Amino acid sequence: MLVPELWLCLSFGCAASLSPSCLSAQFRRPGDFVLGGLFPFGKDTVNLTARSEPTLLVCERLFTGGLIWALGMRFAIDQINNSSSLLPGITLGYDMYDTCFEALVALQPSLLFLTRNGTTGIGVLCNYTEYQPRVTAVIGPHKSDLCLLTAKLFSSFLIPQVSYGASSEALSNTELYPSFYRTVPSDKNLVEAVVLLLNQFGWNWIASIGSDDEYGRGAQALFLSMVGNDNICIAFERLIPTDLAEPNAKKQLEDTVKLINSTKVNVIVLFAFSLPAQALLEHSIRMGLGKKVWIGTEAWMLSDIAASTPNIQSVGTVLGFVMRTGTVPGFQEYVAELFSSVEQEEFCQESRELSRRMNAEVLDTHCQQCGHVTLGDIRPMLRVTMVQPVHVAVYSVAHALHRALGCTQKACPKTPIRSWQLLHFMNTLPFEVNGQSFRFDQSHSTNTGYKLIFWAWRNGTLTYLPVGDYDQSLYIQKSQIQFHTADQKEPASECFRRCQPGQFRQIKGFNLCCYDCTDCPENTFWSSTDSTSCSPCPQHQWAPARSTRCHDRSERFLFWDEPLAVALVTLTALSAALSCGTALLFLKHLQTPLVQASGGGRSLLALLSLVLLSLSCCLYVGKPSDGLCTVQQLSYALCLNGCFSTFVPKALEIALVTEFPRCAPRLLRWVTHGRAWLLVAASLLTEGLLCLCHLRLGPDFLVADYQSLPSEVLLVCGTKSWAAFALLHGYNSCLAFACFLCTFMVQTPGRRYNVARGITFATLIYFVIWIFFIVIFATLRTVLRAVTQICTILATTLGILVSYFIPKCYIMVFRPELNTGDYFQNPTDEEPKEDS
């Protein structure tokens, strides 16, 4: 079986020849695997003799870079053919065509490469698995806009295409361009490096200019999308024409220079190829634009076109990023030997013989006017490391072919290879070229990083001085850069003042660079330089206004040692002491008419409950906990119930005697003497059951309140179930209300003590206190909530003491003569009045 030819197309520019009769033939060489080539001879010029009008595939001006790339491809092919390990037994040939930097020109040879091998027609099939095109892989073109066109064609046939210069981020879409590869980084990496450069020098007021082509538009769009996140303001963005022959090209360039001058920017980022960049720099010099910092890219910084602009030193400081590439050993010697061979007649005869064997009817690209290039014309370009991407591109396909064929170190099997079979090996395996390892990443690019280049002028001679490196992070040797300023330091390029620490930029209007510096509010902090907002502090932290960091919150509750707590505890002690003193006094006079008329032993229970109620105020002082929160409500309810339950028998007794005299003899025995204690016990038991319901439905729990206080976390007790709360305290309210109804209308003869009046005032004070408590407690969100609860307890205790017990103590101590049976006659001892 015959081995199918592998056509490896190298897309360059105009077809060129070192001599009309020799080199044009030498750019066509047969082999076991034939490589095709396209050269970009379309834009830059060298001194040539007069030429005739160009045809479609013959360009007017010779681009020496295209010739160097073509020679670099041929050098790589010769190395591979002479290698005994990469493709042993396989000879690579080449067939080179022209693009002239024009899409239509590039399209014709691209269609030729898609034709079925051995024919000039493209097969229209449903399944191209076994389809053998004229080429198996494509290298190039150089420009992104041409690659966007050709990549769609070659991806349809899954033919590997490796570009050595197309950097557009759009080509990173492997779904649209599954077979496209490149040996240069994407523009995204370049833009990231430019943004880091601007940040390191603090330049945040810049102009962005791009050439009106795929490279300029794509790179500028990426740049504009990234700078917004880095607080860099764009004074203006502009596209400059690539075709300088257009009628409006000059006016557009002049308007761009005027705009640079009017916005007073000191830094200009320029994404353009050499000719548009040279035209802009030339207009800047002619129109007297002041010195600026120009940040460029490899597309124009390494071109002698821009550097040869008259008076170019006056533009200011030129910085830019170029790909970090290595040299190709032996290439300069190879080119010198090739130019020497061209001058020999034997070489030319062999070339003409090879040319006759090729199909001259397919795209005759002989350039009759390009035969006057000498070694001296291209020698300056040989010093620039621009050949390695082409070299690596050829080797990437050769290594994929080596693995696809299953070659060993000694021989390669003679087996058919389809284009799509190379893609797997190009995607997965690294390859080595001149001792350096390369690999295509997920976007089918090789990212070798960038070097930061400074245009250094020494005795009128331009030197490309490396001053930094970028590989995910940027390192700059700032001491090596001599800026155009008087002190040779970097110039400022700011349209706004920087905000002070603790301030953020409050944008005014639609321009991101127009803003006010506003202090960060409380509980927010300034997180980064020139931030447009302040970051909120975590919940457990706080920050004062205009803060640069957050502080841990301190806990806030009613401390034992603070003056307010000391005063309340003192008042609590006095209340408890007053209750104890009253209880002792009642115990001493327990058998007197006064104490018996007040309830006798039940009064001692009421006073003991008031003592405990006063002491329960201590539960609200100090650091709260879930247990304390639960006990607070239960202790208040039980102690208060212990007091009110002793009032109930006396209130019912009074109501029966005064309001229901006929029923009194029959019912009084249930509310007096020993049976009255049953009512007290029943009331306490009922309150105890309600306490269990409160625990079941949801007791109070500890709440960490981060909102009420600016710098502290407030520890308070929160109510989990308001229904349980209402049940717990509602029962006491019902008892108090019942006592009030039974006593508030009772009249007593003037010569006797009105026992009912004390119960009426005690319950009335309780209701008034609770009305105020509910209103205040619902509105407070600070440590005063605990103070309110303590004050409520103390007010209730003292209110009951003052209204019910203290008047009786006064009589026992200061008016003992009134402590008689006549003055304190028990209502049950009176004759009930008959209803009229």
Side-chain angles (χ1 to χ4, degrees):
M1 182 181 295
L2 293 176
V3 181
E5 289 184 343
L6 169 67
W7 289 77
L8 185 58
C9 167
L10 183 62
S11 294
F12 285 89
C14 287
S17 59
L18 296 179
S19 68
S21 59
C22 296
L23 193 57
S24 60
Q26 275 302 302
F27 276 92
R28 314 186 81 182
R29 175 190 291 177
D32 296 325
F33 295 90
V34 180
L35 286 72
L38 302 174
F39 294 81
F41 299 123
K43 299 299 180 184
D44 295 348
T45 60
V46 294
N47 293 325
L48 300 175
T49 57
R51 63 202 73 143
S52 60
E53 290 295 323
T55 61
L56 181 64
L57 296 179
V58 179
C59 300
E60 292 185 359
R61 292 170 291 183
L62 175 64
F63 182 28
T64 55
L67 179 59
I68 293 175
W69 284 322
L71 296 176
M73 185 273 285
R74 174 174 169 169
F75 176 60
I77 292 174
D78 287 346
Q79 280 189 323
I80 294 170
N81 288 338
N82 294 329
S83 173
S84 60
S85 58
L86 183 55
L87 291 175
I90 298 296
T91 302
L92 298 181
Y94 49 84
D95 189 7
M96 301 182 185
Y97 291 93
D98 170 39
T99 67
C100 285
F101 284 116
E102 296 293 339
L104 181 61
V105 178
L107 188 61
Q108 295 189 43
S110 297
L111 292 174
L112 174 64
F113 299 146
L114 296 177
T115 59
R116 190 187 297 271
N117 190 24
T119 70
T120 57
I122 300 177
V124 180
L125 306 173
C126 293
N127 187 348
Y128 285 90
T129 304
E130 299 300 326
Y131 185 79
Q132 181 63 57
R134 185 183 181 93
V135 301
T136 305
V138 178
I139 298 179
H142 175 264
K143 293 188 66 177
S144 295
D145 49 358
L146 298 185
C147 284
L148 287 171
L149 174 65
T150 59
K152 292 180 180 179
L153 289 175
F154 296 127
S155 292
S156 300
F157 289 78
L158 292 182
I159 299 176
Q161 177 184 4
V162 187
S163 174
Y164 51 88
S167 58
S168 173
E169 177 63 16
L171 293 166
S172 297
N173 190 337
T174 56
E175 293 184 358
L176 290 178
Y177 312 104
S179 66
F180 178 81
Y181 299 83
R182 54 185 165 198
T183 54
V184 294
S186 164
D187 284 337
K188 182 179 180 181
N189 303 100
L190 173 64
V191 169
E192 289 174 349
V194 173
V195 172
L196 287 177
L197 175 66
L198 296 173
N199 281 330
Q200 284 213 18
F201 284 108
W203 294 325
N204 50 36
W205 181 241
I206 63 169
S208 176
I209 301 175
S211 53
D212 194 8
D213 53 23
E214 178 60 34
Y215 170 73
R217 290 189 299 267
Q220 181 166 263
L222 273 174
F223 177 69
L224 296 176
S225 66
M226 288 187 181
V227 294
N229 299 326
D230 288 85
N231 302 314
I232 298 173
C233 293
I234 305 298
F236 69 90
E237 54 184 280
R238 195 84 170 191
L239 292 176
I240 55 176
T242 55
D243 187 357
L244 302 179
E246 291 181 359
N248 294 329
K250 181 178 179 181
K251 185 178 185 304
Q252 292 180 38
L253 292 169
E254 291 177 349
D255 291 343
T256 302
V257 175
K258 292 178 181 177
L259 199 54
I260 295 173
N261 190 48
S262 63
T263 53
K264 297 184 168 73
V265 293
N266 288 327
V267 178
I268 304 162
V269 180
L270 179 57
F271 300 102
F273 283 105
S274 54
L275 277 181
Q278 186 268 343
L280 179 63
L281 294 173
E282 185 178 10
H283 278 76
S284 300
I285 297 170
R286 182 177 58 82
M287 297 176 65
L289 183 68
K291 292 185 176 182
K292 307 291 182 181
V293 176
W294 296 81
I295 298 178
T297 63
E298 187 172 12
W300 64 271
M301 281 200 61
L302 297 183
S303 171
D304 59 346
I305 300 299
S308 61
T309 304
N311 201 22
I312 188 62
Q313 299 95 323
S314 64
V315 298
T317 303
V318 180
L319 290 169
F321 291 95
V322 299
M323 287 181 294
R324 190 163 53 197
T325 58
T327 58
V328 179
F331 177 65
Q332 294 192 33
E333 293 78 3
Y334 174 83
V335 173
E337 182 180 353
L338 180 62
F339 270 83
S340 177
S341 301
V342 169
E343 298 175 358
Q344 301 176 10
E345 181 61 28
E346 180 182 355
F347 179 87
C348 292
Q349 291 179 358
E350 182 182 355
S351 299
R352 285 191 289 269
E353 180 63 26
L354 291 173
S355 179
R356 281 192 292 270
R357 299 178 187 176
M358 309 300 289
N359 187 357
E361 296 178 358
V362 179
L363 294 182
D364 183 8
T365 60
H366 288 189
C367 180
Q368 302 298 332
Q369 304 301 325
C370 300
H372 303 276
V373 182
T374 65
L375 181 60
D377 294 326
I378 66 171
R379 190 181 299 277
M381 298 298 296
L382 294 178
R383 294 193 294 266
V384 182
T385 56
M386 57 184 296
V387 182
Q388 189 189 43
V390 178
H391 201 70
V392 173
V394 176
Y395 267 88
S396 68
V397 178
H399 279 278
L401 180 62
H402 174 92
R403 294 170 182 129
L405 289 172
C407 297
T408 64
Q409 296 293 326
K410 296 182 179 179
C412 289
K414 305 295 185 179
T415 56
I417 293 297
R418 301 291 183 261
S419 303
W420 57 267
Q421 292 177 296
L422 299 181
L423 298 179
H424 168 73
F425 302 100
M426 297 186 70
N427 288 338
T428 58
L429 297 177
F431 57 94
E432 190 172 292
V433 181
N434 295 327
Q436 186 176 357
S437 180
F438 296 90
R439 188 187 193 117
F440 293 110
D441 58 21
Q442 293 182 347
S443 62
H444 294 178
S445 305
T446 58
N447 186 8
T448 57
Y450 293 92
K451 290 189 297 182
L452 179 62
I453 298 298
F454 167 60
W455 273 15
W457 296 93
R458 297 174 179 174
N459 299 324
T461 303
L462 174 61
T463 302
Y464 301 113
L465 181 64
V467 292
D469 288 284
Y470 171 76
D471 188 2
Q472 296 183 345
S473 61
L474 180 61
Y475 167 73
I476 303 177
Q477 296 176 340
K478 293 185 179 181
S479 60
Q480 298 291 322
I481 305 176
Q482 297 179 354
F483 288 93
H484 58 268
T485 54
D487 57 359
Q488 296 186 343
K489 299 295 183 181
E490 65 269 16
S493 187
E494 300 174 321
C495 78
F496 52 82
R497 61 184 179 90
R498 291 187 180 274
C499 293
Q500 297 298 317
Q503 295 181 323
F504 71 97
R505 297 188 303 162
Q506 189 172 19
I507 306 299
K508 297 190 300 183
F510 299 98
N511 193 334
L512 293 179
C513 296
C514 297
Y515 60 84
D516 292 325
C517 289
T518 306
D519 293 346
C520 289
E522 291 184 353
N523 291 327
T524 62
F525 70 100
W526 176 73
S527 58
S528 62
T529 304
D530 293 331
S531 176
T532 56
S533 63
C534 296
S535 302
C537 291
Q539 190 179 46
H540 65 281
Q541 292 183 324
W542 76 284
R546 196 172 178 176
S547 178
T548 58
R549 67 185 184 92
C550 293
H551 309 276
D552 291 332
R553 289 178 178 267
S554 59
E555 294 180 339
R556 184 69 176 100
F557 47 86
L558 191 59
F559 292 94
W560 285 97
D561 56 350
E562 60 181 293
L564 184 58
V566 172
L568 291 174
V569 170
T570 302
L571 190 58
T572 297
L574 292 175
S575 176
L578 183 60
S579 300
C580 289
T582 304
L584 292 175
L585 190 59
F586 267 63
L587 181 61
K588 181 179 179 181
H589 300 84
L590 183 61
Q591 301 303 323
T592 62
L594 185 151
V595 176
Q596 291 300 316
S598 301
R602 295 193 302 275
S603 297
L604 295 178
L605 177 61
L607 288 168
L608 178 61
S609 299
L610 293 179
V611 172
L612 296 176
L613 186 61
S614 298
L615 295 177
S616 69
C617 292
C618 297
L619 298 174
Y620 298 89
V621 185
K623 185 176 180 179
S625 63
D626 287 329
L628 283 176
C629 290
T630 301
V631 173
Q632 285 175 1
Q633 298 298 328
L634 299 182
S635 62
Y636 178 76
L638 283 173
C639 292
L640 191 60
N641 185 266
C643 179
F644 284 160
S645 63
T646 63
F647 291 168
V648 172
K650 178 56 66 176
L652 291 176
E653 179 186 348
I654 296 171
L656 288 173
V657 172
T658 58
E659 302 297 333
F660 307 99
R662 289 186 176 183
C663 301
R666 186 171 63 253
L667 298 176
L668 280 175
R669 65 177 178 270
W670 295 103
V671 295
T672 58
H673 306 296
R675 292 186 180 181
W677 285 100
L678 293 177
L679 288 177
V680 174
S683 177
L684 286 171
L685 180 60
T686 303
E687 186 66 28
L689 293 175
L690 292 175
C691 289
L692 292 177
C693 291
H694 182 267
L695 293 174
R696 183 68 176 175
L697 292 176
D700 289 3
F701 61 100
L702 180 63
V703 176
D705 183 1
Y706 295 95
Q707 305 299 325
S708 299
L709 300 176
S711 61
E712 299 167 310
V713 51
L714 179 62
L715 300 181
V716 294
C717 294
T719 301
K720 185 175 183 179
S721 172
W722 286 103
F725 181 89
L727 286 175
L728 189 65
H729 297 288
Y731 179 66
N732 285 332
S733 299
C734 291
L735 291 181
F737 187 66
C739 293
F740 179 79
L741 290 179
C742 291
T743 59
F744 85 103
M745 292 294 291
V746 174
Q747 296 294 327
T748 302
R751 292 175 296 171
R752 293 182 182 179
Y753 183 79
N754 192 340
V755 179
R757 186 179 300 147
I759 297 176
T760 302
F761 279 110
T763 54
L764 183 61
I765 289 173
Y766 166 76
F767 283 119
V768 172
I769 291 172
W770 259 86
I771 291 172
F772 280 99
F773 166 74
I774 292 174
V775 173
I776 296 174
F777 189 80
T779 55
L780 286 177
R781 290 291 183 270
T782 65
V783 73
L784 293 178
R785 295 187 73 174
V787 174
T788 303
Q789 290 173 295
I790 294 174
C791 291
T792 300
I793 295 173
L794 292 177
T796 303
T797 303
L798 294 174
I800 295 173
L801 284 173
V802 170
S803 63
Y804 188 78
F805 291 103
I806 296 301
K808 298 175 177 58
C809 293
Y810 175 80
I811 293 174
M812 285 186 287
V813 176
F814 298 103
R815 300 292 297 274
E817 68 275 8
L818 296 179
N819 193 357
T820 62
D822 291 337
Y823 192 68
F824 287 98
Q825 184 176 2
N826 201 313
T828 57
D829 296 334
E830 299 179 357
E831 282 296 328
K833 295 180 181 180
E834 296 292 336
D835 292 341
S836 56

